[in-house]
Coordinates of all heavy atoms in Angstrom, one line a residue:
M1 N -14.2 26.5 -12.7 CA -12.9 26.7 -12.0 C -12.2 28.0 -12.5 O -12.6 28.6 -13.5 CB -12.0 25.5 -12.2 CG -11.0 25.5 -13.4 SD -10.0 24.0 -13.6 CE -8.6 24.4 -12.6
S2 N -11.3 28.4 -11.8 CA -10.7 29.7 -12.0 C -10.0 29.7 -13.4 O -9.3 28.8 -13.8 CB -9.6 30.0 -10.9 OG -8.9 31.2 -11.3
R3 N -10.1 30.8 -14.1 CA -9.4 31.0 -15.4 C -7.9 31.3 -15.2 O -7.1 31.2 -16.1 CB -10.1 32.1 -16.2 CG -11.4 31.7 -16.8 CD -11.2 31.3 -18.2 NE -12.3 30.4 -18.6 CZ -12.2 29.4 -19.4 NH1 -11.1 29.1 -20.0 NH2 -13.3 28.7 -19.8
D4 N -7.6 31.8 -14.0 CA -6.3 32.2 -13.7 C -5.4 30.9 -13.5 O -5.6 30.1 -12.5 CB -6.2 33.0 -12.4 CG -4.8 33.4 -12.0 OD1 -3.9 33.2 -12.8 OD2 -4.7 33.8 -10.9
R5 N -4.5 30.7 -14.4 CA -3.7 29.4 -14.2 C -2.2 29.8 -13.9 O -1.3 28.9 -14.1 CB -3.8 28.6 -15.5 CG -5.1 28.0 -15.7 CD -5.3 27.4 -17.0 NE -6.6 26.8 -17.1 CZ -6.9 25.5 -16.9 NH1 -6.0 24.7 -16.6 NH2 -8.1 25.1 -17.0
N6 N -2.0 30.9 -13.4 CA -0.6 31.3 -13.0 C 0.0 30.4 -11.9 O 1.2 30.2 -11.8 CB -0.5 32.7 -12.5 CG -0.8 33.7 -13.7 OD1 -0.5 33.4 -14.8 ND2 -1.3 34.9 -13.3
W7 N -0.9 29.8 -11.1 CA -0.5 28.9 -10.1 C 0.3 27.7 -10.6 O 1.1 27.1 -9.9 CB -1.7 28.4 -9.2 CG -2.7 27.6 -10.1 CD1 -3.8 28.1 -10.7 CD2 -2.7 26.2 -10.4 NE1 -4.5 27.1 -11.3 CE2 -3.8 26.0 -11.2 CE3 -1.8 25.2 -10.0 CZ2 -4.0 24.7 -11.6 CZ3 -2.0 23.9 -10.5 CH2 -3.2 23.7 -11.3
M8 N 0.0 27.4 -11.9 CA 0.7 26.2 -12.4 C 2.2 26.4 -12.4 O 3.0 25.4 -12.5 CB 0.2 26.0 -13.9 CG -1.1 25.4 -14.0 SD -1.6 25.1 -15.7 CE -3.2 24.3 -15.5
Y9 N 2.6 27.6 -12.5 CA 4.1 27.9 -12.5 C 4.6 28.5 -11.3 O 5.7 29.1 -11.3 CB 4.4 28.7 -13.8 CG 3.9 27.9 -15.0 CD1 2.8 28.3 -15.7 CD2 4.6 26.8 -15.5 CE1 2.3 27.6 -16.8 CE2 4.2 26.1 -16.6 CZ 3.0 26.5 -17.2 OH 2.6 25.7 -18.3
M10 N 3.8 28.4 -10.2 CA 4.3 28.8 -8.9 C 5.3 27.8 -8.4 O 5.5 26.8 -8.9 CB 3.2 29.0 -7.9 CG 2.6 27.7 -7.5 SD 1.2 27.9 -6.3 CE 2.1 28.1 -4.8
K11 N 6.0 28.2 -7.3 CA 6.9 27.4 -6.6 C 6.2 26.1 -6.1 O 5.1 26.3 -5.5 CB 7.6 28.1 -5.5 CG 9.0 27.7 -5.2 CD 9.6 28.8 -4.3 CE 10.9 28.3 -3.6 NZ 10.6 27.2 -2.7
R12 N 6.7 25.0 -6.3 CA 5.9 23.8 -6.0 C 6.3 23.2 -4.6 O 5.6 22.4 -4.0 CB 6.2 22.6 -7.0 CG 5.8 23.0 -8.4 CD 5.9 21.9 -9.3 NE 7.2 21.2 -9.3 CZ 8.2 21.6 -10.1 NH1 8.1 22.7 -10.8 NH2 9.3 20.9 -10.1
T13 N 7.4 23.6 -4.1 CA 7.9 23.1 -2.8 C 8.1 24.2 -1.8 O 8.3 25.3 -2.1 CB 9.2 22.3 -3.0 OG1 10.1 23.2 -3.7 CG2 9.0 21.1 -3.8
T14 N 7.9 23.8 -0.5 CA 8.2 24.7 0.6 C 9.7 24.8 0.8 O 10.4 24.0 0.2 CB 7.5 24.2 1.9 OG1 8.1 22.9 2.2 CG2 6.0 24.0 1.7
S15 N 10.1 25.6 1.7 CA 11.5 25.7 2.0 C 12.0 24.4 2.6 O 13.2 24.2 2.6 CB 11.8 26.9 3.0 OG 10.9 26.8 4.1
E16 N 11.1 23.6 3.1 CA 11.6 22.3 3.7 C 11.6 21.2 2.6 O 11.9 20.0 2.9 CB 10.6 21.8 4.8 CG 10.7 22.7 6.1 CD 9.8 23.9 6.0 OE1 8.7 23.7 5.5 OE2 10.1 24.9 6.5
G17 N 11.3 21.6 1.4 CA 11.3 20.6 0.3 C 10.0 19.8 0.2 O 10.0 18.7 -0.4
L18 N 9.0 20.2 0.9 CA 7.7 19.5 0.9 C 6.8 20.0 -0.2 O 7.0 21.2 -0.7 CB 7.0 19.6 2.3 CG 7.8 19.0 3.4 CD1 7.1 19.4 4.8 CD2 8.0 17.5 3.3
F19 N 5.8 19.3 -0.5 CA 4.8 19.7 -1.5 C 4.1 20.9 -1.0 O 3.5 20.9 0.1 CB 3.8 18.6 -1.7 CG 3.2 18.5 -3.1 CD1 2.5 17.4 -3.5 CD2 3.2 19.6 -3.9 CE1 1.9 17.3 -4.7 CE2 2.6 19.6 -5.2 CZ 1.9 18.4 -5.6
D20 N 4.2 22.0 -1.6 CA 3.6 23.3 -1.1 C 2.1 23.1 -1.1 O 1.5 22.7 -2.0 CB 3.9 24.4 -2.1 CG 3.4 25.8 -1.6 OD1 2.2 26.0 -1.8 OD2 4.2 26.5 -1.0
P21 N 1.5 23.4 0.1 CA 0.0 23.1 0.3 C -0.8 23.9 -0.7 O -1.9 23.4 -1.1 CB -0.2 23.5 1.7 CG 1.0 24.0 2.3 CD 2.1 23.8 1.3
T22 N -0.4 25.1 -1.0 CA -1.2 25.9 -2.0 C -1.2 25.3 -3.4 O -2.2 25.1 -4.0 CB -0.7 27.4 -2.0 OG1 -0.6 27.9 -0.7 CG2 -1.6 28.2 -2.9
F23 N 0.0 24.9 -3.8 CA 0.2 24.2 -5.1 C -0.6 22.9 -5.1 O -1.4 22.6 -6.1 CB 1.6 24.0 -5.4 CG 1.9 23.4 -6.8 CD1 1.7 24.1 -7.9 CD2 2.2 22.0 -6.9 CE1 1.9 23.6 -9.2 CE2 2.5 21.5 -8.1 CZ 2.3 22.2 -9.3
Q24 N -0.5 22.2 -4.0 CA -1.2 20.9 -3.9 C -2.7 21.1 -4.0 O -3.4 20.3 -4.7 CB -0.8 20.3 -2.6 CG -1.1 18.8 -2.5 CD -0.6 18.2 -1.2 OE1 -0.1 18.9 -0.3 NE2 -0.6 16.9 -1.1
H25 N -3.2 22.1 -3.4 CA -4.6 22.4 -3.4 C -5.1 22.7 -4.8 O -6.1 22.2 -5.3 CB -4.9 23.6 -2.5 CG -6.2 24.2 -2.6 ND1 -7.3 23.7 -2.0 CD2 -6.7 25.3 -3.4 CE1 -8.4 24.4 -2.4 NE2 -8.0 25.4 -3.2
H26 N -4.3 23.5 -5.5 CA -4.6 23.8 -6.9 C -4.6 22.6 -7.8 O -5.4 22.4 -8.6 CB -3.6 24.9 -7.5 CG -3.9 26.3 -7.1 ND1 -5.1 26.9 -7.4 CD2 -3.2 27.1 -6.3 CE1 -5.1 28.1 -6.9 NE2 -3.9 28.3 -6.3
V27 N -3.6 21.7 -7.6 CA -3.4 20.5 -8.3 C -4.7 19.6 -8.1 O -5.2 19.1 -9.1 CB -2.1 19.8 -8.0 CG1 -2.1 18.3 -8.5 CG2 -0.9 20.5 -8.6
N28 N -5.1 19.5 -6.9 CA -6.2 18.6 -6.6 C -7.5 19.2 -7.3 O -8.3 18.4 -7.8 CB -6.5 18.6 -5.0 CG -5.5 17.6 -4.4 OD1 -5.1 16.6 -5.0 ND2 -5.2 17.9 -3.2
F29 N -7.6 20.5 -7.2 CA -8.8 21.1 -7.8 C -8.8 20.9 -9.4 O -9.7 20.5 -10.0 CB -8.7 22.6 -7.5 CG -10.1 23.3 -7.5 CD1 -10.9 23.2 -6.4 CD2 -10.5 24.0 -8.6 CE1 -12.1 23.8 -6.4 CE2 -11.7 24.6 -8.6 CZ -12.6 24.5 -7.5
F30 N -7.6 21.1 -9.9 CA -7.4 20.9 -11.4 C -7.7 19.5 -11.8 O -8.3 19.2 -12.8 CB -5.9 21.3 -11.7 CG -5.5 20.9 -13.1 CD1 -5.8 21.6 -14.2 CD2 -4.7 19.7 -13.2 CE1 -5.4 21.2 -15.4 CE2 -4.3 19.3 -14.5 CZ -4.6 20.1 -15.6
L31 N -7.2 18.5 -11.0 CA -7.4 17.1 -11.3 C -8.8 16.7 -11.2 O -9.3 15.9 -12.0 CB -6.4 16.2 -10.5 CG -5.0 16.4 -10.9 CD1 -4.1 15.5 -10.0 CD2 -4.7 16.0 -12.4
D32 N -9.5 17.2 -10.2 CA -11.0 16.9 -10.0 C -11.7 17.4 -11.3 O -12.5 16.6 -11.9 CB -11.6 17.7 -8.9 CG -11.2 17.1 -7.5 OD1 -10.8 16.0 -7.5 OD2 -11.4 17.8 -6.5
Y33 N -11.3 18.5 -11.8 CA -11.9 19.1 -13.0 C -11.5 18.2 -14.2 O -12.3 17.9 -15.0 CB -11.4 20.5 -13.2 CG -12.1 21.2 -14.4 CD1 -13.3 21.8 -14.3 CD2 -11.4 21.2 -15.6 CE1 -13.9 22.4 -15.4 CE2 -11.9 21.8 -16.7 CZ -13.2 22.4 -16.6 OH -13.8 23.0 -17.7
A34 N -10.2 17.9 -14.3 CA -9.7 17.2 -15.5 C -10.3 15.8 -15.6 O -10.7 15.4 -16.7 CB -8.2 17.1 -15.4
Y35 N -10.4 15.1 -14.5 CA -11.0 13.8 -14.5 C -12.5 13.8 -14.8 O -13.0 12.7 -15.2 CB -10.6 13.0 -13.2 CG -9.2 12.4 -13.3 CD1 -8.2 13.1 -12.8 CD2 -9.0 11.2 -13.9 CE1 -6.9 12.6 -12.9 CE2 -7.7 10.6 -14.0 CZ -6.7 11.4 -13.5 OH -5.4 10.9 -13.6
A36 N -13.1 14.9 -14.6 CA -14.5 15.0 -14.8 C -14.8 15.5 -16.3 O -15.8 15.2 -16.8 CB -15.2 15.9 -13.8
N37 N -13.9 16.2 -16.8 CA -14.1 17.0 -18.0 C -13.2 16.8 -19.2 O -13.4 17.3 -20.3 CB -14.2 18.5 -17.8 CG -15.3 18.8 -16.8 OD1 -16.5 18.8 -17.2 ND2 -14.9 19.1 -15.6
A38 N -12.1 16.1 -19.0 CA -11.1 15.9 -20.0 C -11.7 15.3 -21.3 O -12.5 14.4 -21.1 CB -9.9 15.1 -19.6
P39 N -11.4 15.8 -22.4 CA -12.0 15.3 -23.7 C -11.6 13.8 -23.9 O -12.4 13.1 -24.5 CB -11.5 16.2 -24.8 CG -10.3 16.9 -24.2 CD -10.5 16.9 -22.7
N40 N -10.4 13.4 -23.5 CA -10.1 12.0 -23.6 C -9.5 11.4 -22.4 O -8.4 11.7 -22.0 CB -9.1 11.8 -24.8 CG -8.2 12.9 -25.0 OD1 -7.9 13.6 -24.0 ND2 -7.7 13.1 -26.2
I41 N -10.4 10.6 -21.8 CA -10.0 9.9 -20.5 C -9.9 8.5 -20.9 O -10.7 7.9 -21.6 CB -11.0 10.1 -19.4 CG1 -11.1 11.6 -19.0 CG2 -10.7 9.2 -18.2 CD1 -12.2 11.9 -18.0
Q42 N -8.8 7.9 -20.5 CA -8.6 6.4 -20.8 C -9.0 5.6 -19.6 O -8.6 5.9 -18.5 CB -7.1 6.2 -21.1 CG -6.8 4.9 -21.9 CD -5.3 4.8 -22.2 OE1 -4.5 4.7 -21.4 NE2 -5.0 5.0 -23.5
R43 N -9.9 4.7 -19.9 CA -10.4 3.9 -18.7 C -9.9 2.5 -18.9 O -9.9 1.9 -20.0 CB -11.9 3.9 -18.7 CG -12.5 5.3 -18.4 CD -14.0 5.3 -18.2 NE -14.5 6.6 -18.5 CZ -14.5 7.6 -17.6 NH1 -13.9 7.4 -16.4 NH2 -15.0 8.8 -17.9
E44 N -9.4 1.9 -17.8 CA -8.7 0.6 -17.8 C -9.2 -0.2 -16.6 O -9.4 0.4 -15.6 CB -7.2 0.9 -17.6 CG -6.3 0.2 -18.7 CD -4.9 0.6 -18.5 OE1 -4.3 0.1 -17.6 OE2 -4.4 1.5 -19.2
L45 N -9.4 -1.5 -16.9 CA -9.8 -2.3 -15.7 C -8.5 -2.9 -15.1 O -7.8 -3.6 -15.8 CB -10.7 -3.4 -16.2 CG -12.2 -3.1 -16.2 CD1 -13.0 -4.4 -16.6 CD2 -12.7 -2.6 -14.9
I46 N -8.3 -2.6 -13.9 CA -7.1 -3.2 -13.2 C -7.6 -3.9 -12.0 O -8.2 -3.4 -11.1 CB -6.1 -2.1 -12.8 CG1 -5.6 -1.4 -14.1 CG2 -5.0 -2.7 -12.0 CD1 -4.7 -0.1 -13.8
D47 N -7.5 -5.3 -12.0 CA -8.0 -6.1 -11.0 C -9.5 -5.9 -10.7 O -9.9 -5.8 -9.6 CB -7.2 -5.9 -9.7 CG -5.7 -6.3 -9.8 OD1 -5.5 -7.2 -10.6 OD2 -4.9 -5.8 -9.1
G48 N -10.2 -5.7 -11.8 CA -11.6 -5.6 -11.7 C -12.1 -4.2 -11.3 O -13.3 -3.9 -11.2
V49 N -11.1 -3.3 -11.1 CA -11.5 -1.9 -10.7 C -11.2 -1.0 -11.9 O -10.2 -1.0 -12.5 CB -10.7 -1.4 -9.5 CG1 -11.0 0.0 -9.1 CG2 -10.9 -2.4 -8.3
E50 N -12.2 -0.2 -12.2 CA -12.0 0.8 -13.3 C -11.1 1.9 -12.9 O -11.4 2.6 -11.9 CB -13.3 1.3 -13.9 CG -13.2 2.0 -15.2 CD -14.5 2.6 -15.7 OE1 -14.9 3.7 -15.2 OE2 -15.0 2.0 -16.6
V51 N -10.1 2.1 -13.6 CA -9.1 3.2 -13.3 C -9.1 4.2 -14.5 O -9.0 3.8 -15.6 CB -7.7 2.6 -13.1 CG1 -6.7 3.8 -12.9 CG2 -7.7 1.7 -11.9
S52 N -9.3 5.5 -14.2 CA -9.2 6.5 -15.2 C -7.9 7.1 -15.3 O -7.2 7.3 -14.3 CB -10.2 7.6 -14.9 OG -11.5 7.1 -14.8
K53 N -7.5 7.3 -16.6 CA -6.2 8.0 -16.8 C -6.4 9.2 -17.7 O -7.2 9.2 -18.6 CB -5.2 7.0 -17.5 CG -4.9 5.8 -16.7 CD -3.9 4.9 -17.4 CE -3.4 3.8 -16.6 NZ -2.4 2.9 -17.3
I54 N -5.7 10.3 -17.4 CA -5.7 11.4 -18.3 C -4.3 11.6 -18.8 O -3.3 11.0 -18.3 CB -6.1 12.7 -17.5 CG1 -5.2 13.1 -16.4 CG2 -7.6 12.6 -17.1 CD1 -5.3 14.5 -15.9
R55 N -4.2 12.5 -19.8 CA -2.9 12.8 -20.4 C -2.2 13.6 -19.4 O -2.7 14.7 -19.0 CB -3.1 13.6 -21.7 CG -3.6 12.7 -22.8 CD -3.9 13.6 -24.0 NE -4.5 12.8 -25.1 CZ -3.7 12.2 -26.0 NH1 -2.4 12.2 -26.0 NH2 -4.3 11.5 -27.0
C56 N -1.0 13.2 -19.0 CA -0.3 13.9 -17.9 C 0.4 15.2 -18.5 O 1.1 15.1 -19.5 CB 0.8 12.9 -17.4 SG 1.7 13.7 -16.0
P57 N 0.0 16.3 -17.9 CA 0.5 17.6 -18.4 C 1.9 18.0 -17.7 O 2.3 19.1 -17.8 CB -0.6 18.5 -17.9 CG -1.1 18.0 -16.6 CD -0.9 16.5 -16.7
C58 N 2.6 17.0 -17.2 CA 3.9 17.4 -16.6 C 5.0 17.7 -17.6 O 4.8 17.4 -18.8 CB 4.3 16.3 -15.6 SG 5.3 15.0 -16.4
G59 N 6.1 18.3 -17.1 CA 7.2 18.6 -18.0 C 7.8 17.5 -18.7 O 8.4 17.6 -19.8
K60 N 7.6 16.3 -18.2 CA 8.3 15.1 -18.8 C 7.3 14.4 -19.8 O 7.7 14.1 -20.9 CB 8.7 14.1 -17.7 CG 9.5 13.0 -18.2 CD 10.1 12.2 -17.1 CE 10.5 10.8 -17.5 NZ 10.0 9.7 -16.7
C61 N 6.1 14.2 -19.4 CA 5.1 13.5 -20.2 C 4.5 14.4 -21.3 O 4.3 13.9 -22.4 CB 3.9 13.0 -19.4 SG 4.4 11.9 -18.1
Q62 N 4.3 15.7 -21.0 CA 3.9 16.7 -22.0 C 2.6 16.2 -22.7 O 2.6 16.2 -24.0 CB 5.0 17.0 -22.9 CG 6.2 17.6 -22.2 CD 7.2 18.4 -23.0 OE1 6.9 18.6 -24.2 NE2 8.2 18.8 -22.4
I63 N 1.7 15.7 -22.0 CA 0.4 15.1 -22.5 C 0.5 14.0 -23.6 O -0.4 13.7 -24.3 CB -0.6 16.2 -23.0 CG1 -0.1 17.0 -24.2 CG2 -0.9 17.2 -21.8 CD1 -1.1 18.0 -24.7
H64 N 1.7 13.3 -23.6 CA 1.8 12.2 -24.5 C 1.5 10.9 -23.8 O 1.3 9.9 -24.5 CB 3.3 12.2 -25.1 CG 3.6 13.3 -26.0 ND1 2.9 13.6 -27.1 CD2 4.6 14.3 -25.9 CE1 3.4 14.7 -27.7 NE2 4.4 15.1 -26.9
R65 N 1.5 10.9 -22.5 CA 1.3 9.6 -21.8 C 0.0 9.7 -20.9 O -0.2 10.8 -20.3 CB 2.5 9.3 -20.9 CG 3.8 9.1 -21.7 CD 4.9 8.7 -20.8 NE 4.6 7.4 -20.2 CZ 5.4 6.9 -19.2 NH1 6.4 7.5 -18.7 NH2 5.1 5.7 -18.7
F66 N -0.7 8.7 -20.9 CA -1.9 8.6 -20.0 C -1.4 8.1 -18.6 O -0.7 7.1 -18.6 CB -2.9 7.6 -20.6 CG -3.8 8.3 -21.6 CD1 -3.4 8.1 -23.0 CD2 -4.9 9.0 -21.3 CE1 -4.2 8.7 -24.0 CE2 -5.7 9.6 -22.3 CZ -5.3 9.4 -23.7
K67 N -1.9 8.7 -17.6 CA -1.4 8.3 -16.3 C -2.6 8.4 -15.3 O -3.5 9.1 -15.4 CB -0.3 9.2 -15.8 CG 1.0 8.9 -16.5 CD 2.2 9.3 -15.7 CE 3.5 8.7 -16.3 NZ 4.7 9.1 -15.5
K68 N -2.4 7.5 -14.2 CA -3.4 7.5 -13.1 C -3.2 8.8 -12.3 O -2.1 9.4 -12.3 CB -3.2 6.3 -12.3 CG -3.7 5.0 -12.9 CD -3.4 3.8 -12.1 CE -2.1 3.2 -12.5 NZ -1.8 1.9 -11.8
R69 N -4.2 9.1 -11.6 CA -4.2 10.4 -10.8 C -3.0 10.5 -9.9 O -2.3 11.5 -9.9 CB -5.5 10.5 -10.0 CG -5.6 11.8 -9.3 CD -6.9 12.1 -8.7 NE -6.9 13.3 -8.0 CZ -7.9 14.2 -7.9 NH1 -9.0 14.0 -8.5 NH2 -7.8 15.3 -7.2
F70 N -2.8 9.5 -9.1 CA -1.6 9.6 -8.2 C -0.3 9.7 -8.9 O 0.6 10.4 -8.4 CB -1.6 8.5 -7.1 CG -1.1 7.2 -7.6 CD1 0.3 6.9 -7.4 CD2 -1.8 6.2 -8.2 CE1 0.8 5.7 -7.9 CE2 -1.3 5.0 -8.7 CZ 0.0 4.8 -8.5
E71 N -0.2 9.2 -10.1 CA 1.0 9.3 -10.9 C 1.1 10.7 -11.4 O 2.2 11.3 -11.4 CB 1.0 8.3 -12.0 CG 1.0 6.9 -11.6 CD 0.8 5.9 -12.8 OE1 0.0 6.2 -13.7 OE2 1.5 4.9 -12.9
V72 N 0.0 11.3 -11.8 CA 0.0 12.7 -12.3 C 0.5 13.6 -11.2 O 1.3 14.5 -11.4 CB -1.3 13.1 -12.9 CG1 -1.3 14.6 -13.3 CG2 -1.7 12.2 -14.1
V73 N -0.1 13.4 -10.0 CA 0.2 14.2 -8.9 C 1.7 14.2 -8.6 O 2.4 15.2 -8.4 CB -0.6 13.8 -7.6 CG1 0.0 14.5 -6.4 CG2 -2.0 14.1 -7.8
G74 N 2.3 12.9 -8.6 CA 3.7 12.7 -8.3 C 4.5 13.4 -9.4 O 5.6 14.1 -9.1
D75 N 4.1 13.3 -10.7 CA 4.8 13.9 -11.8 C 4.8 15.5 -11.6 O 5.9 16.1 -11.8 CB 4.2 13.6 -13.1 CG 4.7 12.2 -13.6 OD1 5.3 11.5 -12.8 OD2 4.4 11.9 -14.8
L76 N 3.7 16.0 -11.3 CA 3.6 17.5 -11.2 C 4.4 18.0 -10.1 O 5.0 19.1 -10.1 CB 2.1 17.9 -11.1 CG 1.2 17.7 -12.3 CD1 -0.2 18.0 -12.0 CD2 1.8 18.5 -13.5
F77 N 4.5 17.2 -9.0 CA 5.3 17.6 -7.9 C 6.8 17.6 -8.3 O 7.5 18.6 -8.0 CB 5.1 16.7 -6.7 CG 6.0 16.9 -5.5 CD1 6.1 18.2 -5.0 CD2 6.7 15.9 -4.9 CE1 6.9 18.5 -3.9 CE2 7.5 16.1 -3.8 CZ 7.6 17.4 -3.3
K78 N 7.2 16.6 -9.0 CA 8.6 16.4 -9.4 C 9.0 17.3 -10.6 O 10.0 18.0 -10.5 CB 8.9 15.0 -9.7 CG 9.2 14.1 -8.5 CD 9.5 12.7 -8.9 CE 8.2 11.9 -9.2 NZ 8.4 10.5 -9.5
K79 N 8.2 17.4 -11.6 CA 8.5 18.0 -12.8 C 7.8 19.4 -13.1 O 8.3 20.1 -13.9 CB 8.2 17.1 -14.0 CG 8.7 15.7 -13.9 CD 10.1 15.5 -14.1 CE 10.6 14.1 -14.0 NZ 12.1 14.0 -13.9
G80 N 6.7 19.5 -12.4 CA 5.9 20.8 -12.7 C 5.2 20.6 -14.0 O 5.3 19.6 -14.7
F81 N 4.4 21.6 -14.3 CA 3.6 21.6 -15.6 C 4.5 21.8 -16.8 O 5.6 22.5 -16.6 CB 2.5 22.6 -15.6 CG 1.3 22.2 -14.8 CD1 1.2 22.5 -13.4 CD2 0.2 21.6 -15.4 CE1 0.1 22.1 -12.7 CE2 -0.9 21.3 -14.7 CZ -1.0 21.5 -13.3
M82 N 4.2 21.2 -17.9 CA 4.9 21.5 -19.1 C 4.9 22.9 -19.5 O 3.9 23.6 -19.1 CB 4.4 20.6 -20.3 CG 2.9 20.9 -20.6 SD 2.2 19.7 -21.8 CE 2.8 20.4 -23.3
D83 N 5.9 23.4 -20.2 CA 5.9 24.8 -20.7 C 4.7 25.0 -21.6 O 4.4 24.1 -22.4 CB 7.2 25.1 -21.4 CG 8.4 25.1 -20.5 OD1 8.2 25.2 -19.3 OD2 9.5 25.0 -21.0
N84 N 4.2 26.2 -21.5 CA 3.1 26.6 -22.4 C 1.8 25.8 -22.3 O 0.9 25.8 -23.1 CB 3.5 26.5 -23.9 CG 4.7 27.3 -24.2 OD1 4.8 28.4 -23.7 ND2 5.6 26.8 -25.0
Y85 N 1.7 25.0 -21.2 CA 0.4 24.3 -21.0 C -0.7 25.2 -20.8 O -1.8 25.0 -21.3 CB 0.5 23.4 -19.7 CG -0.7 22.5 -19.5 CD1 -1.1 21.6 -20.5 CD2 -1.5 22.6 -18.4 CE1 -2.2 20.8 -20.4 CE2 -2.6 21.9 -18.2 CZ -3.0 21.0 -19.2 OH -4.1 20.2 -19.1
K86 N -0.5 26.3 -20.2 CA -1.5 27.4 -19.9 C -2.1 27.8 -21.3 O -3.3 27.9 -21.4 CB -0.8 28.5 -19.2 CG -1.7 29.3 -18.4 CD -0.9 30.2 -17.4 CE -0.6 31.5 -18.1 NZ -0.1 32.5 -17.1
A87 N -1.2 28.1 -22.2 CA -1.6 28.5 -23.5 C -2.4 27.5 -24.2 O -3.5 27.8 -24.9 CB -0.4 28.9 -24.4
Q88 N -2.0 26.2 -24.1 CA -2.8 25.1 -24.8 C -4.2 25.0 -24.2 O -5.1 24.8 -24.9 CB -2.0 23.8 -24.5 CG -0.7 23.7 -25.2 CD -0.3 22.3 -25.5 OE1 -1.0 21.4 -25.1 NE2 0.8 22.1 -26.1
V89 N -4.3 25.1 -22.9 CA -5.6 25.0 -22.3 C -6.5 26.1 -22.7 O -7.6 25.9 -23.0 CB -5.4 25.0 -20.7 CG1 -6.8 25.2 -20.1 CG2 -4.7 23.8 -20.2
M90 N -5.9 27.3 -22.8 CA -6.7 28.5 -23.2 C -7.3 28.3 -24.6 O -8.4 28.8 -24.9 CB -5.8 29.8 -23.2 CG -5.5 30.2 -21.8 SD -6.9 30.5 -20.8 CE -6.2 31.2 -19.3
R91 N -6.6 27.6 -25.5 CA -7.0 27.5 -26.8 C -8.2 26.6 -27.0 O -9.0 26.7 -27.9 CB -5.9 27.0 -27.7 CG -5.4 28.0 -28.7 CD -4.3 27.4 -29.7 NE -3.0 27.5 -29.0 CZ -2.2 26.5 -28.9 NH1 -2.5 25.3 -29.4 NH2 -1.0 26.6 -28.4
T92 N -8.4 25.6 -26.1 CA -9.5 24.6 -26.2 C -10.8 25.2 -25.6 O -10.7 26.1 -24.8 CB -9.1 23.3 -25.5 OG1 -8.8 23.6 -24.1 CG2 -7.9 22.7 -26.2
Ligands
ZN1 ZN1 3.9 13.1 -16.3

């Protein structure tokens, strides 16, 4: 995936207040990568279905909470990425 992570801090919403398609595209790409490669993915059985959770990198959770993908998407839309997440990713 692209090393350029400036998109994380781009505007997340369109002028109509909708999820910006470009940001959404980057988030989907990022999450595909994260769920396949994150060093710690939490797996949980919910109603017999295995659900994967990653540490949510949003401004509120700040990678302290494990969340399901749709929850992470919602968080990123509402809160954006945590400050300095870019720097943290670069270090690993
Ligand atoms: Zn979050």
Side-chain angles (χ1 to χ4, degrees):
M1 92 181 273
S2 172
R3 285 264 158 215
D4 175 15
R5 290 172 180 263
N6 290 331
W7 61 266
M8 286 180 173
Y9 300 103
M10 70 180 277
K11 212 165 164 295
R12 304 189 301 278
T13 50
T14 63
S15 49
E16 292 86 36
L18 301 171
F19 208 162
D20 184 279
T22 308
F23 183 73
Q24 198 170 11
H25 168 81
H26 280 298
V27 165
N28 282 332
F29 207 82
F30 168 80
L31 290 177
D32 283 346
Y33 183 84
Y35 278 92
N37 298 286
N40 35 27
I41 294 173
Q42 200 174 69
R43 297 185 202 281
E44 234 176 74
L45 273 184
I46 298 174
D47 295 332
V49 179
E50 192 182 77
V51 175
S52 301
K53 296 181 177 182
I54 59 162
R55 289 173 182 275
C56 182
C58 84
K60 189 171 161 231
C61 303
Q62 304 198 3
I63 63 174
H64 293 303
R65 299 184 63 189
F66 281 93
K67 289 203 165 178
K68 287 177 264 185
R69 182 167 176 146
F70 80 91
E71 294 173 318
V72 174
V73 171
D75 276 12
L76 290 176
F77 176 50
K78 278 181 277 183
K79 313 282 179 193
F81 280 87
M82 59 188 278
D83 290 342
N84 301 319
Y85 183 60
K86 208 164 85 168
Q88 292 203 1
V89 170
M90 288 302 187
R91 246 184 277 131
T92 56

